[in-house]
Amino acid sequence: MEESTPKSPTPPWGLQEYLSAGYVYLIFLGIIDEVIFYSFFEIDILNYSGISDILMAPINTLLSDIRVFGMISAILFLAYLMYFKVLPYLHQKSKSQQWYQKMVRDMDKADAKFAYMQKSKVLFIGIYMSCLFLGLRIGYGYKMQDRVDKGQFKLTHSLTMTDNSEKKVRIIGQNSLYVFYVTKEKRSISIIPISGNIKEIQHLTR
């Protein structure tokens, strides 16, 4: 009877594999960020975006408001601390306690779960961040849509066109190709290509 050849272990990821996975993840996160938000305004944003816009979308969201960056950083830090430091520590410390053994019927299974969590930190953080972005963009999109529908928004920018005409607008979004905005006179979203149409975008002072 022939002996089965043992399978060779899967080689660890190198820098190239991590960069490729990070690239794919940024695309995935960018699609979540953009599609969810613009769907509130019935805009198929993928028709108006290049790959660079998709890649930069989550970074722009994080850096657009220091409060958003601080909130997401704090939540990720607390989640990491809880799931990879506090809970494993409490599990190891309480394994010999009778009350814990009654609560956790299968200790070997619990050990395996915590061991898997430790090996899957990057996956966990990626999933957790995706959920944060999903909730953030749903909340912001709903809030902005409600403001636009009710006309309860402030004009944030002045657009100077190539013919030197000016428009006071509230910019809903912008990428390398288009500006998405509303005006007090027309509350539906207008989409205008930047190239050949807009001469200057000026932020209005508060």
Side-chain angles (χ1 to χ4, degrees):
M1 187 175 181
E2 295 184 0
E3 295 183 0
S4 58
T5 303
K7 295 181 179 180
S8 59
T10 304
W13 278 21
L15 178 61
Q16 184 63 43
E17 286 77 13
Y18 279 109
L19 288 176
S20 298
Y23 181 79
V24 172
Y25 179 71
L26 271 180
I27 292 176
F28 170 74
L29 203 61
I31 290 174
I32 289 179
D33 186 277
E34 294 284 86
V35 171
I36 293 297
F37 175 73
Y38 285 100
S39 65
F40 282 92
F41 305 100
E42 299 181 354
I43 296 173
D44 187 358
I45 188 60
L46 297 181
N47 289 332
Y48 299 95
S49 301
I51 188 64
S52 60
D53 298 317
I54 297 297
L55 288 171
M56 291 301 297
I59 298 174
N60 291 336
T61 298
L62 280 176
L63 300 181
S64 62
D65 192 328
I66 189 63
R67 295 171 296 180
V68 173
F69 178 76
M71 179 190 70
I72 291 181
S73 299
I75 291 175
L76 286 176
F77 175 75
L78 291 174
Y80 178 87
L81 196 66
M82 177 62 66
Y83 284 102
F84 299 115
K85 299 296 181 181
V86 176
L87 290 181
Y89 171 78
L90 293 177
H91 172 70
Q92 291 297 327
K93 187 176 181 180
S94 305
K95 284 174 64 174
S96 59
Q97 302 295 322
Q98 191 174 8
W99 65 269
Y100 190 70
Q101 293 173 359
K102 290 181 179 179
M103 185 175 67
V104 181
R105 298 290 184 180
D106 193 336
M107 198 62 66
D108 291 336
K109 189 175 181 179
D111 288 338
K113 285 183 177 180
F114 279 105
Y116 177 77
M117 286 174 60
Q118 292 297 327
K119 293 179 180 179
S120 307
K121 291 179 181 179
V122 175
L123 177 64
F124 172 85
I125 293 173
I127 294 174
Y128 206 85
M129 183 174 288
S130 300
C131 293
L132 283 177
F133 266 88
L134 180 63
L136 179 69
R137 297 305 270 173
I138 288 175
Y140 185 65
Y142 177 81
K143 185 177 180 180
M144 182 55 65
Q145 181 197 37
D146 185 61
R147 287 181 176 179
V148 171
D149 290 342
K150 296 178 180 178
Q152 298 175 349
F153 57 88
K154 293 181 179 179
L155 300 177
T156 57
H157 292 81
S158 174
L159 303 182
T160 303
M161 304 302 175
T162 53
D163 61 359
N164 291 323
S165 63
E166 292 187 8
K167 290 183 179 181
K168 298 294 189 299
V169 302
R170 171 62 184 259
I171 291 183
I172 302 299
Q174 180 182 344
N175 57 30
S176 61
L177 301 173
Y178 297 90
V179 172
F180 307 84
Y181 67 88
V182 292
T183 64
K184 289 294 185 179
E185 297 78 20
K186 183 182 178 182
R187 296 177 190 174
S188 59
I189 305 297
S190 296
I191 305 172
I192 183 171
I194 296 176
S195 178
N197 291 281
I198 299 177
K199 184 177 180 181
E200 181 182 24
I201 301 176
Q202 183 178 5
H203 187 80
L204 297 177
T205 57
R206 297 180 181 178

